[in-house]
Amino acid sequence: PTVTFSSDNSRVTAELPTGESVEILLYGATVISWKDSKGDEKLWVSSAAKLDGTKAVRGGIPLVFPVFGPPPASGHPTSSLPQHGFARTSVWEFLGKSTSESNPTSGDASGSANAADLSVKLDFGLSAASLTAEVRELWPYKFNLIYSVTLNRENLTTSLVVTNDDDKPFESQVLLHTYLRVNDISSVSISGLASSTYIDKVANASVGTQTADTLSIASETDRVYTTPNGASDVVTVSEGGKTRYTVARDNLLNVVVWNPWTEKAAGMGDFEPKEGYKNMLCIEPGSVGTWQTLEPGDAFEGAQTITIPL
Ligand code: BG6
């Protein structure tokens, strides 16, 4: 058994011998599809999303770097950048694939792997040299990003490494803007955020602390959570009482929970169908509460692993 793989100048796809698959656009290194062995899609992508490189993709997993949200009004090196930075709107380079076996001793006598143990990792890169001249001027630092997307039978890991290749420090934020697909937002419950503080962007950036163990979504929701030291690094999304996804974070202390609900969805030209807010929920692991300062030569790595029950 082997991993089926294809790539052209706009996208990369991989499928495990057990049927799970992933598809990534070079534009933004945006994961636009992740299917389980039955072919069920796990990510929500708007039917009006632009996939031609003219606008950040509305759905999937857009990457936020080097600034989250609208940049500071002035006086910060990111101030001239568009909302959520340039990583999601730049064309990345496909660096290569590697397959591995999680249980190398389980194959048959001929040394061939067990189909169920195979995984594939796809690596993408973006550096200052590959930005358009226009974008390079807006944020004039030498940097290197490596984004790795690893597909296993029961999970998808996306991991971002930011390296400062400049001779001066820079400040940045990163976030994995994951649009999870759900059947019905009204039966979704989110846990793993209790005791976290949050900024509620819907309520004039008011500050709160998550007291209830679970959070449900019944109106526009846009909260930037900061998980306290020692808190769980897993957010669980259940539907109808059953675990649908667990989202584990590595070195990412923030989680944005976003659902645009009716009015915001209506106001976004690329959000279709308009009722689609019922079928999506953004759980966005990131490092956005403060600025991450990287000294020359230093690197920052953050990752998420989204697991589905088998
Ligand atoms: C979320 C933000 O991460 O992204 C929201 O918290 C924002 O405030 C949303 O509306 C979508 O952003 P964009 O730029 O993709 O429309």
Side-chain angles (χ1 to χ4, degrees), residues 58 68 83-84 88 177 179 201 222 256 258 284:
R58 177 67 61 203
F68 167 69
Q83 157 134 319
H84 294 337
R88 64 177 183 166
H177 200 305
Y179 289 71
K201 292 211 217 169
D222 191 357
V256 177
W258 182 61
E284 312 164 24

Side-chain angles (χ1 to χ4, degrees), residues 180-189 216-217 237-240 244 259 261 275-281:
L180 295 173
R181 174 172 278 278
V182 297
N183 290 332
D184 176 7
I185 193 73
S186 70
S187 52
V188 165
S189 143
S216 30
I217 310 283
V237 176
S238 306
E239 209 173 342
R244 183 91 202 253
N259 183 294
W261 213 251
E275 296 279 289
Y277 73 90
K278 294 177 180 166
N279 304 118
M280 54 74 67
L281 170 66

Side-chain angles (χ1 to χ4, degrees), residues 165-309:
D165 280 343
D166 215 313
D167 53 12
K168 50 189 178 298
F170 64 68
E171 292 186 328
S172 66
Q173 301 176 324
V174 305
L175 176 123
L176 309 168
H177 200 305
T178 311
Y179 289 71
L180 295 173
R181 174 172 278 278
V182 297
N183 290 332
D184 176 7
I185 193 73
S186 70
S187 52
V188 165
S189 143
I190 304 160
S191 62
L193 292 169
S195 306
S196 298
T197 55
Y198 61 83
I199 296 169
D200 192 337
K201 292 211 217 169
V202 176
N204 287 322
S206 66
V207 177
T209 301
Q210 179 72 32
T211 46
D213 281 345
T214 60
L215 172 74
S216 30
I217 310 283
S219 58
E220 184 191 349
T221 304
D222 191 357
R223 290 182 177 185
V224 184
Y225 280 93
T226 299
T227 54
N229 265 342
S232 159
D233 54 9
V234 177
V235 167
T236 300
V237 176
S238 306
E239 209 173 342
K242 282 200 187 129
T243 297
R244 183 91 202 253
Y245 304 101
T246 59
V247 182
R249 305 182 308 281
D250 185 3
N251 202 27
L252 297 173
L253 290 184
N254 300 109
V255 181
V256 177
V257 177
W258 182 61
N259 183 294
W261 213 251
T262 46
E263 266 175 54
K264 276 276 160 65
M268 283 184 277
D270 62 352
F271 195 103
E272 290 286 352
K274 291 302 171 198
E275 296 279 289
Y277 73 90
K278 294 177 180 166
N279 304 118
M280 54 74 67
L281 170 66
C282 284
I283 298 289
E284 312 164 24
S287 175
V288 299
T290 54
W291 294 97
Q292 180 76 39
T293 304
L294 279 183
E295 298 297 328
D298 278 0
F300 170 86
E301 177 165 12
Q304 65 173 352
T305 295
I306 314 167
T307 301
I308 47 175

Side-chain angles (χ1 to χ4, degrees), residues 34-92:
W34 167 34
K35 290 181 182 158
D36 67 14
S37 60
K38 297 191 213 89
D40 286 341
E41 182 59 56
K42 303 296 156 197
L43 302 174
W44 184 86
V45 179
S46 162
S47 62
K50 294 266 183 280
L51 302 179
D52 61 357
T54 55
K55 189 179 191 307
V57 177
R58 177 67 61 203
I61 314 181
L63 269 172
V64 170
F65 174 87
V67 60
F68 167 69
S74 62
H76 192 269
T78 61
S79 290
S80 309
L81 289 174
Q83 157 134 319
H84 294 337
F86 54 74
R88 64 177 183 166
T89 51
S90 295
V91 178
W92 291 56

